[in-house]
Amino acid sequence: MQNLFLLLFAGYIGGLLLPLCFPTKPAVQNILAHGSAGLASGAGILLGVTGLFAPEPWTASVQSTIPFLSFAVRLDSLASLFVLTISLVGLVASIYAIGYVTEFYGRASIAALGALFNGFLLSMTLVVIADNGFFFLIVWELMSLLSYFLVVTEYEKAEVRYAGFFYLVMTHVGTAFIILAFLIFFQAGGSFSFEAFRHPEQPLPEGIRTLVFLMALIGFGTKAGIVPLHVWLPYAHPSAPSHISALMSGVMIKTAIYALVRVYFDFLGGQFPWWWGFIVLVIGAVSALLGVMYALMEHDLKSLLAYHSVENIGIILLGIGAGMIFQTYGLTEFAALGLLAGLYHTINHAMFKALLFLGAGSLLYATHTRNMEEYGGLLRRMPWTGAFFLIGAVSISALPPTNGFVSEWLIFQSLFLSFHLPTVLLKFMLPLAAAALALTSVLALACFAKAFGISFLALPRSSHARLAEEVPITMRIAMGLLAVVCVLLGLAPMVVVPMLDRVVTPFAGQSIEGKVLALDGWALAPVNMEFSSLSTPVLALLLVALSMLGLGLVAAFGGLVKQRYYKTWGCGINLTPRMEYTATGFVQPIKRVFGAIYQPTVKLETELLEESRYFAKRRHFEFHIEPVFQKYLYDPVVACFIGMAERLRVIQGGSLHLYLAYIFVTLIVLLLFAV
Amino acid sequence: MLQAIILVVAQMIVLLAVSPFLVGLIRKVKARLQLRRGASVLQPYADLAKLFRKQPVVSTTTSWIFTATPYIVFASTLAAGLLIPIFVSITPLDFAGNIIAVVYLLALGTFFLMLAGLDAGSSFGGMGSSREAIVASLTEPAMILSIFAIALTKGSTNLSTIVHKTALLEGIATDPSPYLMALAALLIVALAETGRVPVDNPATHLELTMIHEAMVLEYSGRYLALIEWAAGLKLAVFLSLIANVFAPWGIATTLAPTAMGIGLLAYLLKVSGLAVLIGILESMFAKLRLFRVTDLLGVAFILALLGLLFFYILRS
């Protein structure tokens, strides 16, 4: 394992440095950077798999001269799972990037882009295997900064700079809370090593543990994008180049999920009051619902996908929250199930979200716009991209027999097991969370019917879409790989569940593989066949067989009459793209029904013809959604800071003498304290 | 194994055969209540046979989604039907999916219908898809909650277990109110999901008021036949679900031939009764405005919630 890790390390570092040796040849830089990253992530995949099945965690460390800091790594099953996920998406993103970054030749430095890409992947891998709090914070910060630089790749655009700045501020607020949480552990254990975090010399008092819980929730929650700390995400993720967006939405936000599981179940030993799990559950439900609702109103394809990341983080937290609640009441079997379901969804989301972002990148590559209203009819021009995007869309909409469905189904089952809980409040709230999940998933379905339908079907809505061409082969291979992974994750839960079980067992104290899998792995049956069962391979076979039956019925009852092609009836005139339903029109009923949440403002100005007021000469339509969180939560805080800064400005005299006086006064005050 | 396959095929044939009949029966009831004689209840069979033989016209604007959708919708709806007990309480395919899988299989069909509605590029299809999106969104939470209320009383989310236990009178709650609430909620959901008055009007001739019919407006020939058959199947699925979950009496709990014969007869009687009820309901109410549908489905949600609450309060 050591060799694999060194190969991974060398690969990423090589990808970081090698392109810099060829300063004038972007094509060479591209191949070197992304080839090297591909190699390293390939090693990462092997590392993850061997780590998952290793009997003992692999550890290694290099001591440093800085006190409390040691570059210690530890690859236990939880870390291995995330290394595997990061590397898999990393590999695909590397293949994709070879084709995709040709876009940036001459516009941005490919060497810099490639170096940042490699550094970003390396830092994410190190985050999940770090075994020392200090080291963790360093690589965490590195990950944040590198992703910031990647976000501002197209820094010449003002909105990109704004997105980058917003991200930078938010991520540092989050990091501040993480540092506080780690300092509390440090105080108790006297060391930054994770082993000391796990087993402090004297156990943390209850109040302090609660403080750690909240700090970690806010700190890591900011990175994960939970509501209301999600506001930066829909700005930052879409602004980055698409393969970076795929990494950020697919895996970077998952490092926060990793860290939450690590802190709650590992460091705090899975001992918590019921309301911790309840808070996580409520945050999960709210994030899921608001995430998908805001996604529905987005017509910028990449922003839409970014909001779906908020939604899916919410779904993951529903599983983890349910697991935490069960853990409180000693129902370890169900706790393991909830955690397992949450982690299953974590992997699934990494795969289909990366796939969808790569698909969106392909559309951007082909049409040079992110506005969905300018797409249309792309399935005919880009059949491969379209088919892969459809697989991603079906997966994220949790439709059987795809991977998204399997993990959401498991989360449903763990929420339904709530009738074993002793308190009526929880018995009642968990099914409500299930109802929220149902609403979320059906709204996601509507959202992706819109995203796919408006982008890929019907007539092209602009010349961009009319002139679009299929993307280069490397980009198609990358998307195809992810599509295959999505399908496999759905059809082969018997392979995935034992892997996840190895991750969950140490935390929940119980292996549930035998309880989740039934019929030699052909069916999922938590907790037993009596309670529930699902077999996606059989469902898939059934769907194929019944489609064949449909074909057979057609042949039997009518014979295959040759079909006739004719233009769509447009009420007597020729159909034009302007007569098609738009994305805005599609979601209008939803906007109206959930008006209380959106608080939309619609402005319609009509300029009438002078001759007759029944005919309009020009119409201007505008609609906005109230950015509730920004307006009522963030703006006041920002205004407060700026106000304070304005006040403090008076001390900035601009004169050297004044500043010397300040230093002198400070010194006196300090001396007074010292006495 | 062989027995299981025969049972599955038998269940499939029953569902395929009975679904056009249910559609015809509802039409007949409505016609009689309007003092018309109405077409024969067998008319939908003739319609299907005719549609299968007709030459389909496909829009030049469309992609492969448009032609694949009828098969996907047909397959997913029928698959959902095979997961629920029809005339035998233990279905062989029960292990393949519980009630959540049934709900999501139906959603798979809805998803592709929404895409097909957008594919032809006409405004009517888009309008239908857009409306279907909001109706589906509002029914789903009510459906999941009412399902949960039922699942609770039997300690299982597997349909066969629920039906089998109820048929054998195991674990029947002393107070029927959670059941009644869930039943009322599920009935509203069924009306909405199958595109019936007061949510949608399957007999309308005005595109602007349609939901389901607008989505499938561009279909013709064999594609329309499959879509219509699938719509009938969806109706049969919901009626069977309601009939067998709330009143499984008569259903065969063993595989004895007489028991299965009685089961089949009882099933036909129950779903026909429900179809008549739907016909009467459709005649009693006018179609609601789209944005009033929200209130109706809100009521369904609250009912399901109350069912859940009643269950816990009565037990504790």
Side-chain angles (χ1 to χ4, degrees):
Chain A
M1 268 197 266
Q2 188 152 6
N3 294 337
L4 278 175
F5 177 71
L6 288 176
L7 185 61
L8 176 143
F9 197 77
Y12 285 136
I13 294 291
L16 206 155
L17 296 177
L18 281 178
L20 301 172
C21 308
F22 300 89
T24 53
K25 299 193 180 75
V28 179
Q29 290 170 351
N30 179 2
I31 298 289
L32 279 177
H34 298 119
S36 195
L39 206 74
S41 39
I45 293 173
L46 292 178
L47 186 68
V49 173
T50 40
L52 258 182
F53 292 102
E56 283 292 312
W58 170 71
T59 55
S61 72
V62 178
Q63 275 304 323
S64 78
T65 48
I66 304 166
F68 305 119
L69 173 66
S70 103
F71 299 105
V73 294
R74 180 165 178 273
L75 191 73
D76 62 358
S77 49
L78 179 67
S80 304
L81 182 74
F82 281 85
V83 168
L84 179 60
T85 314
I86 291 167
S87 304
L88 201 58
V89 178
L91 175 66
V92 173
S94 311
I95 299 173
Y96 185 85
I98 294 173
Y100 186 72
V101 298
T102 54
E103 265 296 89
F104 292 91
Y105 285 1
R107 287 204 290 144
S109 159
I110 302 301
L113 193 57
L116 289 170
F117 176 77
N118 276 281
F120 183 41
L121 277 170
L122 178 62
S123 60
M124 280 196 290
T125 314
L126 289 177
V127 160
V128 295
I129 61 174
D131 196 33
N132 177 289
F134 209 146
F135 181 41
F136 177 92
L137 287 173
I138 291 174
V139 283
W140 180 268
E141 184 60 21
L142 206 59
M143 176 179 86
S144 302
L145 284 180
L146 291 173
S147 53
Y148 161 73
F149 286 120
L150 285 164
V151 166
V152 295
T153 302
E154 293 176 82
Y155 57 84
E156 63 279 0
K157 296 180 188 159
E159 72 267 20
V160 171
R161 289 198 300 273
Y162 175 74
F165 181 70
F166 201 169
Y167 172 45
L168 199 63
V169 171
M170 286 303 288
T171 188
H172 282 95
V173 171
T175 310
F177 280 96
I178 299 169
I179 293 176
L180 283 176
F182 278 17
L183 282 176
I184 293 172
F185 279 121
F186 174 70
Q187 185 125 41
S191 158
F192 267 113
S193 92
F194 278 177
E195 195 49 41
F197 284 16
R198 240 168 253 137
H199 307 289
E201 280 154 22
Q202 66 261 33
L204 297 172
E206 196 55 46
I208 298 292
R209 286 168 60 89
T210 305
L211 207 58
V212 171
F213 163 72
L214 291 175
M215 298 275 177
L217 192 63
I218 297 172
F220 294 117
T222 310
K223 186 61 98 188
I226 59 172
V227 172
L229 303 166
H230 68 287
V231 280
W232 60 274
L233 202 148
Y235 289 102
H237 286 201
S239 300
S242 298
H243 60 296
I244 307 297
S245 310
L247 283 181
M248 287 178 75
S249 252
V251 286
M252 184 184 76
I253 58 173
K254 304 303 157 39
T255 58
I257 296 292
Y258 158 81
L260 282 179
V261 175
R262 178 67 83 200
V263 171
Y264 294 166
F265 282 88
D266 196 4
F267 296 168
L268 296 176
Q271 305 286 323
F272 19 71
W274 66 270
W275 59 270
W276 288 19
F278 186 66
I279 285 187
V280 173
L281 191 82
V282 170
I283 286 180
V286 171
S287 301
L289 272 176
L290 288 182
V292 71
M293 284 191 177
Y294 285 119
L296 269 162
M297 293 300 134
E298 271 305 331
H299 303 139
D300 170 334
L301 187 54
K302 285 178 77 179
S303 301
L304 177 148
L305 293 176
Y307 270 119
H308 272 287
S309 296
V310 176
E311 175 220 330
N312 279 284
I313 286 289
I315 295 175
I316 293 166
L317 288 183
L318 280 179
I320 293 177
M324 287 172 75
I325 291 173
F326 288 128
Q327 183 85 355
T328 303
Y329 292 102
L331 300 164
T332 50
E333 205 175 289
F334 305 156
L337 178 67
L339 194 55
L340 185 142
L343 290 175
Y344 203 155
H345 199 72
T346 307
I347 309 173
N348 287 343
H349 178 245
M351 299 307 154
F352 57 63
K353 185 48 67 67
L355 171 59
L356 289 166
F357 259 118
L358 296 186
S362 300
L363 293 188
L364 186 59
Y365 185 91
T367 62
H368 302 282
T369 172
R370 284 174 9 197
N371 184 358
M372 230 187 265
E373 308 279 28
E374 294 186 32
Y375 294 159
L378 289 170
L379 189 58
R380 289 173 152 230
R381 279 150 202 89
M382 305 168 72
W384 290 102
T385 305
F388 297 142
F389 195 91
L390 182 63
I391 291 178
V394 172
S395 302
I396 199 171
S397 308
L399 295 173
T402 58
N403 57 350
F405 172 66
V406 178
S407 46
E408 280 193 24
W409 184 85
L410 283 170
I411 292 174
F412 266 122
Q413 296 311 323
S414 50
L415 291 174
F416 279 1
L417 284 165
S418 57
F419 64 89
H420 290 281
L421 290 168
T423 60
V424 172
L425 175 75
L426 290 175
K427 273 182 182 180
F428 194 61
M429 289 312 281
L430 265 66
L432 263 189
L437 179 57
L439 182 57
T440 303
S441 70
V442 75
L443 285 176
L445 181 151
C447 191
F448 276 92
K450 176 192 89 170
F452 185 83
I454 302 290
S455 309
F456 284 97
L457 303 179
L459 292 169
R461 289 156 214 271
S462 69
S463 56
H464 296 301
R466 209 163 25 250
L467 300 174
E469 277 171 28
E470 187 56 283
V471 294
I473 183 85
T474 49
M475 289 163 74
R476 273 180 276 159
I477 290 175
M479 288 187 284
L481 275 175
L482 278 178
V484 169
V485 172
C486 278
V487 172
L488 287 182
L489 279 172
L491 294 186
M494 57 287 220
V495 179
V496 186
V497 168
M499 281 159 72
L500 292 172
D501 186 55
R502 290 190 60 87
V503 177
V504 167
T505 307
F507 302 135
Q510 194 169 14
S511 164
I512 51 160
E513 185 187 333
K515 294 206 168 98
V516 174
L517 290 178
L519 305 179
D520 299 330
W522 284 98
L524 290 169
V527 178
N528 53 42
M529 288 294 274
E530 268 288 88
F531 180 68
S532 63
S533 58
L534 174 78
S535 174
T536 38
V538 172
L539 279 186
L541 271 178
L542 200 62
L543 285 174
V544 172
L546 294 177
S547 303
M548 293 296 147
L549 175 76
L551 274 174
L553 286 173
V554 163
F557 288 135
L560 288 166
V561 190
K562 202 167 158 26
Q563 64 197 29
R564 198 156 67 93
Y565 291 92
Y566 198 72
K567 61 190 180 192
T568 306
W569 185 67
C571 297
I573 45 176
N574 278 328
L575 193 77
T576 67
R578 291 193 57 190
M579 293 156 72
E580 287 172 11
Y581 234 58
T582 59
T584 315
F586 188 85
V587 295
Q588 200 273 340
I590 293 178
K591 188 179 81 193
R592 184 160 163 184
V593 168
F594 297 107
I597 287 165
Y598 294 127
Q599 306 190 3
T601 41
V602 179
K603 213 167 94 187
L604 181 66
E605 284 168 11
T606 313
E607 202 181 314
L608 299 171
L609 270 184
E610 281 120 37
E611 296 83 42
S612 162
R613 59 186 190 85
Y614 294 106
F615 292 96
K617 198 156 88 188
R618 186 181 294 132
R619 274 224 164 104
H620 179 82
F621 174 77
E622 232 180 78
F623 110 87
H624 298 284
I625 293 187
E626 186 96 343
V628 179
F629 292 101
Q630 249 155 301
K631 196 166 168 187
Y632 298 106
L633 192 65
Y634 287 83
D635 286 356
V637 174
V638 171
C640 175
F641 268 101
I642 291 180
M644 259 158 50
E646 291 281 336
R647 296 257 170 80
L648 288 174
R649 217 161 132 184
V650 290
I651 66 167
Q652 300 276 6
S655 138
L656 187 63
H657 301 99
L658 190 61
Y659 291 116
L660 284 174
Y662 288 154
I663 294 173
F664 185 67
V665 170
T666 314
L667 202 65
I668 302 273
V669 171
L670 285 176
L671 282 174
L672 280 177
F673 267 109
V675 177
Chain B
M1 187 69 184
L2 185 70
Q3 197 182 30
I5 291 172
I6 291 171
L7 261 179
V8 170
V9 172
Q11 183 166 341
M12 194 172 77
I13 291 170
V14 169
L15 274 171
L16 284 174
V18 93
S19 51
F21 168 74
L22 292 175
V23 174
L25 186 62
I26 294 178
R27 283 189 198 153
K28 187 77 177 175
V29 170
K30 282 173 77 176
R32 296 302 303 169
L33 286 174
Q34 291 162 2
L35 295 179
R36 290 188 289 119
R37 285 182 55 197
S40 152
V41 288
L42 301 178
Q43 186 61 36
Y45 296 95
D47 288 346
L48 283 181
K50 180 190 71 186
L51 284 172
F52 271 118
R53 285 196 302 271
K54 282 246 175 192
Q55 183 186 36
V57 184
V58 174
S59 163
T60 43
T61 318
T62 57
S63 61
W64 60 266
I65 297 279
F66 186 79
T67 38
T69 293
Y71 297 100
I72 297 174
V73 174
F74 180 79
S76 60
T77 317
L78 191 51
L82 294 183
L83 298 183
I84 56 177
I86 297 294
F87 58 93
V88 180
S89 63
I90 300 285
T91 46
L93 276 175
D94 181 54
F95 75 94
N98 63 352
I99 180 109
I100 309 272
V102 172
V103 175
Y104 277 76
L105 275 172
L106 293 175
L108 177 68
T110 308
F111 180 73
F112 275 92
L113 270 181
M114 272 153 68
L115 290 188
L118 288 166
D119 203 6
S122 102
S123 304
F124 297 127
M127 197 184 295
S129 302
S130 162
R131 290 173 178 176
E132 180 78 8
I134 187 69
V135 173
S137 318
L138 296 172
T139 50
E140 201 96 335
M143 194 162 169
I144 291 285
L145 266 191
S146 53
I147 284 167
F148 186 58
I150 304 159
L152 266 183
T153 57
K154 293 287 165 291
S156 170
T157 59
N158 270 359
L159 279 165
S160 285
T161 317
I162 295 174
V163 172
H164 193 71
K165 276 190 176 174
T166 317
L168 296 177
L169 301 176
E170 276 177 28
I172 291 289
T174 43
D175 189 296
S177 50
Y179 275 107
L180 291 178
M181 299 278 176
L183 173 64
L186 212 55
L187 212 60
I188 297 177
V189 166
L191 288 178
E193 281 275 326
T194 53
R196 293 273 143 198
V197 174
V199 175
D200 187 7
N201 187 356
T204 183
H205 293 286
L206 184 63
E207 294 92 336
L208 291 173
T209 61
M210 299 178 188
I211 300 178
H212 182 263
E213 299 302 313
M215 272 199 296
V216 303
L217 199 63
E218 301 296 330
Y219 278 112
S220 55
R222 55 174 173 266
Y223 301 120
L224 186 60
L226 284 176
I227 297 254
E228 296 260 309
W229 209 343
L233 276 171
K234 194 171 179 183
L235 181 69
V237 165
F238 270 99
L239 296 190
S240 317
L241 196 66
I242 292 174
N244 283 341
V245 166
F246 293 99
W249 296 291
I251 200 166
T253 48
T254 59
L255 293 181
T258 42
M260 285 207 283
I262 294 171
L264 190 58
L265 209 65
Y267 169 73
L268 289 177
L269 277 175
K270 278 184 287 189
V271 287
S272 305
L274 281 172
V276 171
L277 177 71
I278 285 187
I280 295 172
L281 282 177
E282 285 211 318
S283 306
M284 283 167 64
F285 295 101
K287 185 182 168 300
L288 285 173
R289 267 178 63 213
L290 183 65
F291 292 105
R292 298 290 298 279
V293 170
T294 325
D295 303 341
L296 181 71
L297 295 173
V299 168
F301 183 77
I302 299 292
L303 279 172
L305 203 63
L306 283 178
L308 200 65
L309 201 61
F310 277 22
F311 177 79
Y312 281 130
I313 289 172
L314 290 173
R315 257 213 336 196
S316 60

